[in-house]
Amino acid sequence: MTINKKSRTTPSLLSAMVFICAVFMVTLCGTGVTYGLTHSSNITSDETWYAADNPHIVTGGIHVYNNATLKIEAGCLVKFDPGAVLYIGYYSGAALNATGTSLNPITFTSNASTPAAGDWLGIVFFNSTVDSSTIMDYCTVEYGGYSSYNSNIYCDNASPTIQHCTIRHSDGYGIYCDNGSAPTLTN
């Protein structure tokens, strides 16, 4: 009886390769390492950012408008590059629904390796913000305030609801209200 060495070794080699690939994939997936999502485009229809996609990296100015709502899920980590900003309601109606929980807050922060006040511009609510649909609950907003807005959160003729939030490490003001803004601030 003749045994073909090639047929004996090929299945063994193939099995070994499959095993190594499987171990590699389990190891990679099991690390919990995620690379996150990058955001740089304007939002003109309803959109949700999920905690499973953390971190969310904002690389520039994002406008939310056209009656769109940006919903940010509890537990999201949103990091802003230098000069990045989130504008709500500048062009037309828009809302931000950033609803965290006490155990799963939302964080808006700098993307710098060593954060400092003024690393990014901040969150800006304009006069076309749909106030009744706009809420920030259990959020931390930090290290913003760069530019003429000089605050982590700037309200220009807008009155969002901001509750259970920590606003800290701004280059200027934590929350600045201008032109008849009257946000609901609690806790």
Side-chain angles (χ1 to χ4, degrees):
M1 174 169 161
T2 307
I3 297 176
N4 183 341
K5 288 185 181 180
K6 188 173 183 180
S7 65
R8 278 184 56 196
T9 57
T10 301
S12 296
L13 182 59
L14 182 60
S15 295
M17 289 173 57
V18 167
F19 177 75
I20 290 169
C21 287
V23 169
F24 176 76
M25 291 187 66
V26 167
T27 302
L28 182 64
C29 293
T31 63
V33 174
T34 58
Y35 296 100
L37 290 178
T38 300
H39 303 280
S40 60
S41 300
N42 291 336
I43 297 170
T44 58
S45 61
D46 293 349
E47 185 170 310
T48 301
W49 294 358
Y50 297 98
D53 297 324
N54 281 343
H56 293 266
I57 309 297
V58 178
T59 60
I62 294 181
H63 284 273
V64 181
Y65 64 99
N66 199 36
N67 296 313
T69 297
L70 172 58
K71 181 178 180 181
I72 301 180
E73 185 178 63
C76 275
L77 174 61
V78 183
K79 296 177 140 193
F80 292 81
D81 282 348
V85 60
L86 182 59
Y87 296 112
I88 310 295
Y90 181 77
Y91 297 118
S92 60
L96 173 66
N97 182 328
T99 306
T101 67
S102 60
L103 297 176
N104 224 1
I106 296 167
T107 302
F108 299 91
T109 191
S110 166
N111 194 29
S113 57
T114 306
D119 279 349
W120 59 288
L121 274 68
I123 299 171
V124 182
F125 296 100
F126 285 107
N127 65 332
S128 291
T129 298
V130 180
D131 296 330
S132 62
S133 301
T134 299
I135 184 168
M136 294 180 71
D137 194 8
Y138 288 103
C139 296
T140 297
V141 185
E142 59 189 10
Y143 301 113
Y146 176 77
S147 87
S148 60
Y149 299 119
N150 202 30
S151 59
N152 282 341
I153 298 173
Y154 181 83
C155 298
D156 183 359
N157 197 21
S159 301
T161 296
I162 302 171
Q163 58 193 23
H164 306 110
C165 291
T166 300
I167 314 298
R168 62 185 178 199
H169 306 302
S170 175
D171 194 42
Y173 302 97
I175 300 172
Y176 189 87
C177 300
D178 206 1
N179 298 322
S181 296
T184 301
L185 304 172
T186 57
N187 297 356

Coordinates of all heavy atoms in Angstrom, one line a residue, residues 1 4 12 25 46-47 57 70 78-80 84 101 116 129 131 142 163 175:
M1 N 0.8 -1.2 0.0 CA 0.0 0.0 0.0 C 0.9 1.2 0.0 O 1.8 1.3 0.8 CB -0.9 -0.1 1.2 CG -1.7 1.1 1.4 SD -2.9 0.7 2.7 CE -3.3 2.2 3.2
N4 N 0.3 8.5 -0.1 CA 0.7 9.8 -0.7 C 1.0 10.8 0.4 O 0.1 11.2 1.1 CB -0.5 10.3 -1.6 CG -0.1 11.6 -2.3 OD1 0.8 12.3 -1.9 ND2 -0.8 11.8 -3.4
S12 N -3.3 18.1 7.4 CA -2.8 18.5 8.7 C -2.4 19.9 8.7 O -2.6 20.7 9.6 CB -1.5 17.6 9.0 OG -1.9 16.3 9.2
M25 N -8.6 34.9 15.9 CA -9.9 35.6 15.8 C -10.5 35.7 17.2 O -11.0 36.7 17.7 CB -10.9 35.0 14.8 CG -10.4 35.3 13.4 SD -11.6 34.8 12.2 CE -12.9 35.9 12.5
D46 N -32.6 61.6 11.0 CA -32.4 61.0 12.4 C -31.2 60.0 12.4 O -31.1 59.2 11.4 CB -33.6 60.3 12.8 CG -34.8 61.3 13.1 OD1 -34.5 62.5 13.1 OD2 -35.9 60.8 13.3
E47 N -30.4 60.1 13.4 CA -29.2 59.3 13.5 C -29.0 58.9 15.0 O -29.2 59.8 15.8 CB -28.0 60.0 12.9 CG -26.7 59.2 12.9 CD -25.6 59.9 12.1 OE1 -25.9 60.4 10.9 OE2 -24.5 60.0 12.6
I57 N -15.4 59.6 17.4 CA -14.4 60.7 17.2 C -15.0 61.7 16.2 O -15.3 61.4 15.1 CB -13.1 60.2 16.6 CG1 -12.5 59.0 17.5 CG2 -12.0 61.3 16.6 CD1 -12.2 59.3 18.9
L70 N -30.3 63.9 16.5 CA -29.1 63.1 16.8 C -29.3 62.5 18.2 O -29.4 63.2 19.2 CB -27.8 63.9 16.8 CG -26.5 63.2 17.3 CD1 -26.3 61.9 16.5 CD2 -25.3 64.1 17.3
V78 N -17.8 60.4 23.4 CA -17.7 61.2 22.2 C -16.5 62.1 22.4 O -16.4 62.9 23.3 CB -18.9 62.1 21.9 CG1 -18.8 62.8 20.6 CG2 -20.2 61.2 21.9
K79 N -15.5 61.9 21.5 CA -14.2 62.7 21.6 C -14.1 63.6 20.4 O -14.4 63.2 19.3 CB -13.0 61.7 21.7 CG -13.0 60.8 22.9 CD -11.8 59.9 22.8 CE -11.2 59.7 24.2 NZ -9.9 59.0 24.1
F80 N -13.6 64.8 20.7 CA -13.5 65.9 19.7 C -12.1 66.2 19.4 O -11.3 66.5 20.3 CB -14.3 67.1 20.1 CG -15.8 67.0 20.2 CD1 -16.3 66.4 21.3 CD2 -16.6 67.4 19.2 CE1 -17.7 66.2 21.4 CE2 -18.0 67.2 19.3 CZ -18.5 66.6 20.4
A84 N -13.0 70.9 16.5 CA -14.3 70.2 16.2 C -15.4 70.8 17.1 O -15.1 71.3 18.2 CB -14.1 68.7 16.5
T101 N -27.5 57.7 31.9 CA -28.0 57.3 33.2 C -27.0 57.5 34.2 O -25.8 57.7 33.9 CB -28.5 55.8 33.2 OG1 -27.3 55.0 33.1 CG2 -29.4 55.5 32.1
A116 N -6.8 69.3 27.8 CA -6.7 70.6 28.4 C -7.9 71.5 28.0 O -8.5 71.2 26.9 CB -5.4 71.3 27.9
T129 N -33.0 75.1 17.2 CA -33.1 73.9 18.1 C -34.5 73.7 18.5 O -35.2 74.6 18.9 CB -32.2 74.1 19.3 OG1 -30.8 74.3 18.9 CG2 -32.3 72.9 20.2
D131 N -36.4 73.0 21.1 CA -36.2 72.9 22.5 C -36.9 71.8 23.3 O -36.4 71.1 24.1 CB -36.5 74.3 23.2 CG -35.7 75.4 22.7 OD1 -34.5 75.1 22.3 OD2 -36.1 76.6 22.7
E142 N -16.6 68.3 28.8 CA -15.3 68.8 29.4 C -14.3 69.2 28.3 O -14.4 68.6 27.2 CB -14.7 67.8 30.3 CG -14.4 66.4 29.7 CD -14.0 65.3 30.7 OE1 -14.2 65.5 31.9 OE2 -13.6 64.3 30.2
Q163 N -29.9 68.4 32.4 CA -30.1 67.9 33.8 C -29.1 66.8 34.1 O -28.7 66.1 33.3 CB -31.5 67.5 34.0 CG -32.0 66.4 33.0 CD -33.5 66.2 33.1 OE1 -34.3 67.1 33.4 NE2 -33.9 65.0 32.7
I175 N -21.5 76.9 30.8 CA -22.6 77.1 29.9 C -22.8 78.6 29.7 O -22.9 79.3 30.7 CB -23.9 76.5 30.5 CG1 -23.8 75.0 30.7 CG2 -25.1 76.8 29.6 CD1 -25.0 74.3 31.5

